[in-house]
């Protein structure tokens, strides 16, 4: 029976794997910290807007955060989606 060599990842592969893992972890930490302090997730909003309201362009990032800060801390209007 022929012997199959075990995969030997190069240093570059390991570096990419470590970098990708660190980036994924960092995004998760940022999303969790934002949720803990009441900051909504813009990427989730854009995904929701694209599927639920395809005929309307989503708000830009600045307008999105201003709108949600107004909702959270009070302001001259309310926002309700769906």
């Amino acid at each position: 029976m022929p012997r199959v060599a075990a995969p030997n990842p190069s240093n570059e592969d390991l570096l990419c794997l470590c970098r990708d893992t660190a980036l994924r972890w960092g995004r998760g930490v940022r999303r969790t910290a934002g949720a803990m302090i009441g900051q909504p997730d813009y990427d989730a909003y854009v995904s929701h807007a694209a599927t639920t309201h395809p005929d309307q362009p989503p708000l830009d990032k600045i307008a999105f955060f201003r709108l949600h800060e107004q909702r959270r801390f009070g302001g001259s209007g309310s926002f309700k989606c769906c």
Side-chain angles (χ1 to χ4, degrees):
M1 179 177 244
R3 188 170 193 172
V4 177
N8 185 9
S10 68
N11 286 339
E12 187 174 318
D13 291 339
L14 289 175
L15 179 63
C16 289
L17 179 63
C18 289
R19 183 195 65 221
D20 294 345
T21 301
L23 288 172
R24 242 187 348 265
W25 185 82
R27 285 186 207 110
V29 168
R30 183 179 60 195
R31 185 172 289 137
T32 300
M36 288 171 61
I37 62 170
Q39 280 293 333
D41 186 6
Y42 181 72
D43 294 330
Y45 158 73
V46 171
S47 173
H48 165 79
T51 56
T52 310
H53 309 285
D55 55 327
Q56 301 171 1
L59 297 172
D60 66 359
K61 214 170 199 177
I62 293 172
F64 172 78
F65 283 110
R66 283 186 182 155
L67 175 68
H68 284 279
E69 283 180 358
Q70 236 180 11
R71 282 181 60 203
R72 183 169 181 210
F73 299 115
S76 64
S78 63
F79 170 76
K80 180 165 174 37
C81 177
C82 306

